[in-house]
Amino acid sequence: MIPLSVPHLNGNEWKYVKDCLDTGWISSAGSYVNQFETMVADFVGAKYGIACMNGTVGLQIAQIIAGVLPSDYIIAPNVTFIATLNSIKYTRANPILVDVFQDTWQIDLELLENFLNEFTELKLIDGKWHSYHKTDGKRVFAIMPVHVLGNMCDMDYLRRISEKHHLVVIEDSAEALGTTYNGRHAGTFGDLGVFSFNGNKIISTGGGGVIVTDNPVFAKKARHLTTQAKVSSMDYIHDEIGYNYRLVNILAAVGVAQMEQFPELLKSKKIIDAFYKTELKGVGDIVFQNVLNDVNPNCWLFTFKTHHMRALLEYLNANDVQSRPFWMPMNQLEMFKDSIYISTDDQSAKIYENCISIPSSASITMNQLSIVVKTIKNFYKTL
Ligand SMILES: *Cc1c(COP(=O)(O)O)cnc(C)c1O
């Protein structure tokens, strides 16, 4: 079986983990945690990085720090991995789901802008401007763009919208390590950005996340909240409800080794992407994800659209080419079927019905890539 996406552990992972075991520094204190945070922050060009247990809790902490309150609205794309929405519910906020552009599969900013203009109003409360929903009066506090598959939307446009409507921006950059927009890295456009290092992501610590920000107050707060909100290094005194969310040293050690190899891995991902694009162009009814000119994507997981998605999925998996369907849109899930969903022609449903992801591990061989392409071509010949 040619796997969909497996971690690439060919660097110093073993050595650094052994170092943790040899020295006894396996838990949340230890030098690899700080080193990993610095490496990620430096790589993306953020002032601060705060490592946590995973991307999901990173998103939760980012919202708390930004000041979300229960019953606030947070805007999110309807096409995303469930973790985005789960994190919104952890803070007891509610999502406003927005459909995505048909070609880039990123949040539809035109729909969003029209919605905000028509259905929200700005109010000055306690010296602060925020948007409020005209019908139910609830605050529309933040927008959480998701860089779906390591692609990005028009971030200049998104920032114009967020500034006009006084929305906090928290980027779900879980899939976008290595992606830039006009040379600026994903995760650094918002007030806070969150990366994931889960097993299936472009690099991995097994499980892990990093919150990035340029705001020193946010950074301090993130560190505080993820370590049980302890105020003194000696005494067990805590000044608010904190969380035990800090990444452990043994996983950060893997992260440091992964970051060392990241530039090379990113190159492999781009080669894989270019190969598939050349070889699969014009095959069957395949349509690639569109990438805006300003975006330089990390090419994390190769995914395309075809009306024969279900049949192709079965064919590839039966022929030892591991492939996967895309996420069910959030508005179709039981928990969110009553959420506000802004859409005119439900592109999310079409993306769900047509998208398929194919093997994209950084370590995939040229021979394996050829087999994947040949198997796909054979499938279309059977139609
Ligand atoms: C993976 C992912 C997350 C969650 O990250 P974990 O580290 O797995 O908790 C959040 N959002 C998106 C879009 C993701 O792909």
Side-chain angles (χ1 to χ4, degrees):
M1 180 72 93
I2 302 174
L4 184 75
S5 180
V6 287
H8 182 79
L9 303 164
N10 282 12
N12 290 318
E13 287 83 0
W14 185 254
K15 187 175 152 200
Y16 297 161
V17 169
K18 185 170 185 303
D19 181 38
C20 293
L21 297 173
D22 288 345
T23 58
W25 289 98
I26 57 171
S27 196
S28 53
S31 64
Y32 287 111
V33 184
N34 299 333
Q35 208 182 324
F36 180 53
E37 289 174 329
T38 308
M39 283 174 101
V40 174
D42 287 352
F43 186 86
V44 305
K47 286 208 180 98
Y48 308 97
I50 301 89
C52 51
M53 273 170 17
N54 55 60
T56 313
V57 298
L59 290 169
Q60 179 194 1
I61 292 293
Q63 289 168 66
I64 297 170
I65 291 166
V68 68
L69 294 172
S71 87
D72 275 350
Y73 282 120
I74 297 189
I75 297 158
N78 193 41
V79 170
T80 185
F81 177 59
I82 189 66
T84 316
L85 277 274
N86 280 342
S87 75
I88 292 172
K89 295 306 291 187
Y90 296 164
T91 61
R92 291 191 285 147
N94 289 303
I96 290 177
L97 300 169
V98 183
D99 203 3
V100 296
F101 282 119
Q102 166 249 321
D103 59 343
T104 61
W105 318 342
Q106 312 294 306
I107 188 164
D108 186 329
L109 297 172
E110 286 161 25
L111 276 178
L112 173 63
E113 187 175 35
N114 291 338
F115 165 81
L116 290 168
N117 286 339
E118 199 173 332
F119 293 100
T120 70
E121 58 194 345
L122 283 170
K123 283 189 207 164
L124 183 67
I125 294 180
D126 296 333
K128 281 192 179 145
W129 287 103
H130 286 291
S131 283
Y132 291 82
H133 196 291
K134 280 184 193 167
T135 316
D136 62 22
K138 288 182 184 165
R139 186 167 73 155
V140 183
F141 179 68
I143 175 164
M144 208 184 274
V146 179
H147 306 308
V148 176
L149 291 167
N151 194 355
M152 282 175 98
C153 67
D154 178 342
M155 292 305 286
D156 290 334
Y157 187 11
L158 186 139
R159 275 164 50 110
R160 283 200 301 280
I161 295 173
S162 63
E163 273 161 29
K164 179 173 168 203
H165 296 275
H166 292 263
L167 303 171
V168 168
V169 179
I170 299 169
E171 290 178 71
D172 181 341
S173 304
E175 301 173 2
L177 189 71
T179 300
T180 57
Y181 175 89
N182 278 333
R184 184 163 164 187
H185 203 287
T188 64
F189 289 83
D191 299 274
L192 296 135
V194 178
F195 294 93
S196 165
F197 297 88
N198 191 35
N200 60 352
K201 297 301 196 294
I202 193 159
I203 56 170
S204 179
T205 54
V210 172
I211 303 168
V212 296
T213 183
D214 281 346
N215 181 326
V217 179
F218 285 176
K220 195 162 171 229
K221 189 112 200 246
R223 212 165 291 276
H224 188 59
L225 280 179
T226 52
T227 52
Q228 305 278 31
K230 191 162 178 274
V231 286
S232 141
S233 56
M234 179 67 79
D235 295 289
Y236 293 94
I237 302 169
H238 309 261
D239 61 355
E240 61 187 307
I241 302 295
Y243 301 83
N244 182 14
Y245 282 173
R246 187 111 174 114
L247 188 70
V248 295
N249 204 41
I250 206 163
L251 297 180
V254 176
V256 169
Q258 288 273 285
M259 281 305 290
E260 287 171 352
Q261 300 162 81
F262 187 54
E264 279 306 312
L265 292 178
L266 197 54
K267 274 188 212 155
S268 317
K269 290 283 183 179
K270 290 184 191 225
I271 292 169
I272 296 166
D273 184 81
F275 181 85
Y276 279 146
K277 280 191 173 147
T278 311
E279 294 295 322
L280 295 175
K281 192 164 182 231
V283 173
D285 65 344
I286 288 177
V287 177
F288 303 132
Q289 183 187 31
N290 188 35
V291 177
L292 302 176
N293 282 336
D294 293 333
V295 177
N296 187 357
N298 65 1
C299 308
W300 165 53
L301 184 64
F302 200 86
T303 303
F304 59 82
K305 266 186 183 172
T306 169
H307 291 300
H308 308 285
M309 186 276 280
R310 277 288 150 191
L312 177 60
L313 189 69
E314 279 168 28
Y315 185 87
L316 291 179
N317 285 299
N319 284 283
D320 290 338
V321 174
Q322 192 176 45
S323 53
R324 286 285 176 267
F326 212 38
W327 311 302
M328 178 176 269
M330 297 300 110
N331 74 307
Q332 292 187 28
L333 298 176
E334 188 57 33
M335 308 82 81
F336 301 109
K337 66 181 183 355
D338 298 325
S339 298
I340 299 175
Y341 173 39
I342 304 158
S343 173
T344 47
D345 52 3
D346 203 10
Q347 286 301 330
S348 306
K350 292 179 189 131
I351 287 165
Y352 172 53
E353 284 154 22
N354 294 317
C355 277
I356 179 167
S357 305
I358 58 172
S360 307
S361 308
S363 53
I364 194 168
T365 64
M366 267 299 159
N367 186 39
Q368 288 176 316
L369 282 173
S370 304
I371 293 171
V372 174
V373 166
K374 206 169 79 196
T375 314
I376 293 171
K377 285 180 175 166
N378 283 345
F379 166 80
Y380 283 102
K381 279 183 210 150
T382 66
L383 292 182

